[in-house]
Amino acid sequence: MALLLTGGAGYIGSIVAEYCINAGYDLIILDDLREGNIKSLPNSVKFYQVNYGDKKALQDIFTNNAIDCVIHLAASSNVPHSVIVPELYYSNNITNTLTLLECMQEFGVRKFIFSSSAAIYGEPEYQPVDENHAHIPINPYGKSKLFVEEILKDLANSNKLKFVAFRFFCAAGATAFNGESRKDETHLIPLVVDCALRKKDEMYVFGNKFNTIDGSGVRDYVHVADIAQAHVLALKNFDTVANDFFNIGTDSGNSVLELVALAEKIFHRKIPMKIVDSRPGDPESLVASSAKIRKDLGWKPLFGLEQILLSTFLWRKNPRY
């Protein structure tokens, strides 16, 4: 089976690429490299440096490659930034995805795996959050992902597409080959690790007045390798799970301060931090129920928070790129 992977040079995309290649799939990668890194990809992979909203470039790719399935990981994904410039998130995440879906229909490609987000749920009414929870996103990023989910349902209902959509919770961790290597890092775990490595003098804790165990925000951290494995399972079982939505999380959450304390214990180093105001668009707590993906796909997380921190530490200490 030949796969087109959008965003395949990005953090999650590069690790999904690793797992798909190891599972024996032929891979074609599309990435505009605004956030991705060409060094994350093996030399054997066919690569196109284009934006997935470029219709002419997409038509050329579909013309020159016999593609069976598209895995769509390319997106603008910074929640606080989406509050500042929402138009960018609606344009890139919705309009450009529509262009991709239109090209798939033009060339008869009917299988689609979509990276959605826990951000579609907004402030949870109960936790762990299952897939039937109300969808009330509180930031433009979450709204953009939910809009695409509605598009996918409509296309499936009109028999134009079959899809599997994964709602990621907090992806973190690294493999031996790939990890988070952004120019301007905003994610908590690499920032904590950079403080432990003395690459950063101080980290910010955004809010300490939430209704949580210690006042700091709570998230469900899932190893990126476990996310990649979910994609391989979806490919292998596509026809039996098509046209459905799955959380990828661990059923447990950790607060920012709990995570910092664990990092200090593991690395035997003090993590300097500063409490600042909470950010617009950030829910106080977001923890997944993974019952559905465990039952329907046989998935389970293989890596815990300590392994996430250790793998991130090893990657940030000696990154490959």
Side-chain angles (χ1 to χ4, degrees):
M1 180 186 289
L3 313 174
L4 175 63
L5 173 59
T6 72
Y11 166 48
I12 298 176
S14 63
I15 294 168
V16 170
E18 278 185 51
Y19 273 67
C20 287
I21 291 168
N22 290 340
Y25 294 101
D26 295 325
L27 206 57
I28 301 140
I29 288 179
L30 179 159
D31 199 300
D32 61 12
L33 298 183
R34 281 185 294 178
E35 297 290 337
N37 194 314
I38 188 66
K39 294 179 181 179
S40 69
L41 303 177
N43 294 331
S44 59
V45 169
K46 187 179 288 189
F47 173 72
Y48 294 89
Q49 186 179 346
V50 297
N51 184 278
Y52 71 97
D54 185 335
K55 189 169 186 177
K56 177 61 170 63
L58 286 177
Q59 289 172 327
D60 290 343
I61 292 170
F62 281 102
T63 297
N64 294 316
N65 298 277
I67 296 166
D68 300 296
C69 176
V70 174
I71 300 177
H72 185 32
L73 286 162
S76 301
S77 59
N78 185 310
V79 169
H81 189 240
S82 78
V83 177
I84 299 169
V85 283
E87 65 277 12
L88 169 64
Y89 287 74
Y90 294 130
S91 174
N92 193 37
N93 294 359
I94 300 174
T95 305
N96 288 351
T97 298
L98 267 175
T99 299
L100 174 62
L101 291 167
E102 288 168 357
C103 282
M104 287 178 61
Q105 290 179 52
E106 181 180 344
F107 288 88
V109 181
R110 290 172 50 82
K111 293 184 177 181
F112 190 69
I113 298 178
F114 176 58
S115 60
S116 188
S117 170
I120 69 158
Y121 295 119
E123 290 284 4
E125 297 172 356
Y126 58 85
Q127 296 189 76
V129 175
D130 60 29
E131 288 82 356
N132 295 321
H133 188 284
H135 305 151
I136 313 173
I138 60 174
N139 53 65
Y141 168 66
K143 292 175 184 177
S144 73
K145 289 293 187 178
L146 180 59
F147 202 107
V148 175
E149 285 196 8
E150 294 299 319
I151 292 170
L152 296 181
K153 287 193 288 187
D154 288 341
L155 289 173
N157 288 337
S158 63
N159 294 317
K160 294 178 180 176
L161 184 78
K162 290 184 177 180
F163 71 87
V164 173
F166 289 124
R167 294 168 179 161
F168 299 171
F169 281 64
C170 282
T175 66
F177 301 100
N178 290 298
E180 295 187 79
S181 300
R182 300 178 187 85
K183 296 174 185 176
D184 299 307
E185 187 56 68
T186 61
H187 287 185
L188 176 63
I189 287 181
L191 291 175
V192 169
V193 167
D194 281 354
C195 285
L197 288 167
R198 304 294 184 256
K199 291 184 176 184
K200 190 174 178 63
D201 295 332
E202 184 180 60
M203 59 158 286
Y204 292 138
V205 176
F206 292 98
N208 66 342
K209 297 179 182 178
F210 292 118
N211 184 27
T212 61
I213 188 171
D214 53 27
S216 64
V218 170
R219 294 293 182 272
D220 187 341
Y221 297 96
V222 57
H223 200 293
V224 66
D226 287 325
I227 290 175
Q229 182 60 25
H231 285 74
V232 173
L233 288 169
L235 289 165
K236 291 180 177 179
N237 298 280
F238 192 92
D239 290 334
T240 60
V241 298
N243 303 337
D244 212 346
F245 302 88
F246 299 92
N247 290 338
I248 304 184
T250 69
D251 302 285
S252 63
N254 294 92
S255 74
V256 175
L257 296 182
E258 285 178 327
L259 192 150
V260 169
L262 179 60
E264 290 179 338
K265 179 181 178 181
I266 292 171
F267 304 130
H268 306 288
R269 300 177 188 183
K270 186 68 176 175
I271 307 295
M273 58 183 176
K274 181 179 180 180
I275 307 293
V276 297
D277 291 339
S278 59
R279 300 175 296 189
D282 276 352
E284 66 179 23
S285 180
L286 203 51
V287 177
S289 166
S290 64
K292 185 176 180 180
I293 192 172
R294 290 172 186 262
K295 176 179 179 291
D296 292 357
L297 276 173
W299 177 91
K300 64 179 180 179
L302 300 178
F303 305 98
L305 187 56
E306 185 169 334
Q307 291 162 304
I308 287 172
L309 284 165
L310 286 169
S311 65
T312 304
F313 184 90
L314 292 173
W315 172 259
R316 303 291 284 189
K317 183 178 180 180
N318 187 27
R320 196 167 59 88
Y321 47 85

